[in-house]
Amino acid sequence: VTGALGKLGPVWMEALLDAGAQVVGIDLPEAKISHAFEKLKERFGSDQLHLYRADVCKYSEISNIRDLCLKEIGTPSILVNNAGIDQVPSVTSSFRLEEFPLHLFRNILEINVTGAFSVSQIFGQEMVKAKRGTIINIGSLYATVSPDIHFYDHISCSPPFLKPPAYGASKAALLNLTQYFATHWAPHNIRVNALSPGGVLGEQDDEFKKKFCNRVPLGRMARYEDLKGPLIFLASEASAYITGINLKVDGGFTAW
């Protein structure tokens, strides 16, 4: 599980751990150990949960982690490409669309797309050798629809808050990569799917939550527990005849 110490990393890891998997979390060397990860470590112990440090954009570092996994744990059977970056609403870090910095655009694409591609290459080649494996790419609601600017127009800042245009573009690209890997590696008994959460409840302000929930057919934001079942479904033999899909977990947001 890449991006192990981020917001959703522990959610995916807990789901896999509860299902009996031995889990390796991967995150940046400078990433702080989160409270959520500490709780998982206490609950499952060092034999079942491991943390390795690497940058998903550095091929040599991920290759070293792959070699370490092969030596200490064995051939990976499940890969969750979760590492990615976004920008939370802020009064100090917004830009007009026509002025959005290219270096920020490139950085989001580099991590969200190139990073997932290289990690899939590196771990996927071992799955190809083993003739089995499952890759789950974590997408987003915004892989298929554009952000509604009205969700953020109550935030007082100049210029108005702008959801990074590269975020949705990167997640849309990830969906195409999902299909690409799925069709190319299907002969090797490797399934590749995307799981796209939409509107995961967190520390959003009350006005945002109200606006968002009014737009969702089920009338609420996603809770962490809503995400675990879909992940286990895609990771397990329950989805043995499913590959190349994008499983939306968005409360029906994209249904209208």
Side-chain angles (χ1 to χ4, degrees):
V1 179
T2 64
L5 301 177
K7 178 181 178 182
L8 294 182
V11 177
W12 312 130
M13 290 190 295
E14 184 172 30
L16 293 167
L17 288 163
D18 281 337
Q22 191 172 18
V23 176
V24 172
I26 302 173
D27 215 317
L28 293 166
E30 64 270 22
K32 294 182 179 180
I33 299 290
S34 64
H35 178 63
F37 183 85
E38 287 181 339
K39 288 177 64 177
L40 290 179
K41 196 75 169 179
E42 291 175 5
R43 181 179 167 200
F44 293 96
S46 299
D47 290 337
Q48 197 169 353
L49 176 59
H50 312 263
L51 178 63
Y52 295 152
R53 301 290 190 161
D55 184 336
V56 296
C57 293
K58 294 182 178 178
Y59 199 91
S60 61
E61 292 186 6
I62 296 297
S63 295
N64 289 338
I65 297 302
R66 186 250 343 256
D67 295 342
L68 193 59
C69 287
L70 291 173
K71 179 181 178 181
E72 298 185 352
I73 302 172
T75 302
S77 56
I78 301 166
L79 169 63
V80 181
N81 277 315
N82 171 70
I85 58 172
D86 189 10
Q87 179 184 344
V88 296
S90 169
V91 299
T92 60
S93 60
S94 191
F95 305 92
R96 300 185 191 283
L97 179 56
E98 60 271 23
E99 298 170 348
F100 194 86
L102 284 179
H103 74 276
L104 294 180
F105 192 93
R106 293 190 185 102
N107 190 44
I108 292 173
L109 290 179
E110 176 73 8
I111 296 171
N112 294 7
V113 183
T114 309
F117 177 76
S118 63
V119 174
S120 296
Q121 277 188 316
I122 293 166
F123 284 95
Q125 61 185 263
E126 300 305 322
M127 296 179 178
V128 168
K129 294 175 186 176
K131 291 292 185 179
R132 55 107 180 101
T134 301
I135 298 175
I136 303 166
N137 295 319
I138 304 304
S140 167
L141 167 72
Y142 294 131
T144 51
V145 296
S146 182
D148 186 342
I149 60 174
H150 300 297
F151 288 163
Y152 310 101
D153 59 13
H154 63 282
I155 299 173
S156 180
C157 63
S158 182
F161 175 77
L162 182 73
K163 187 78 172 177
Y167 180 74
S170 71
K171 294 301 185 178
L174 192 59
L175 296 190
N176 188 273
L177 273 181
T178 297
Q179 295 174 321
Y180 191 95
F181 275 114
T183 55
H184 278 69
W185 282 350
H188 302 286
N189 196 33
I190 297 168
R191 297 185 298 105
V192 187
N193 294 293
L195 192 164
S196 289
V200 181
L201 185 63
E203 298 180 357
Q204 301 94 339
D205 64 82
D206 290 340
E207 185 65 19
F208 174 89
K209 293 176 184 176
K210 179 181 178 181
K211 291 179 181 179
F212 193 93
C213 291
N214 285 339
R215 176 64 175 73
V216 179
L218 288 183
R220 65 175 178 85
M221 300 187 75
R223 307 182 187 103
Y224 289 160
E225 289 302 317
D226 295 319
L227 307 180
K228 294 178 180 179
L231 180 86
I232 295 303
F233 170 69
L234 292 178
S236 71
E237 288 301 305
S239 59
Y241 197 57
I242 295 176
T243 195
I245 72 159
N246 175 32
L247 178 56
K248 299 177 183 179
V249 187
D250 64 3
F253 188 105
T254 53
W256 59 14

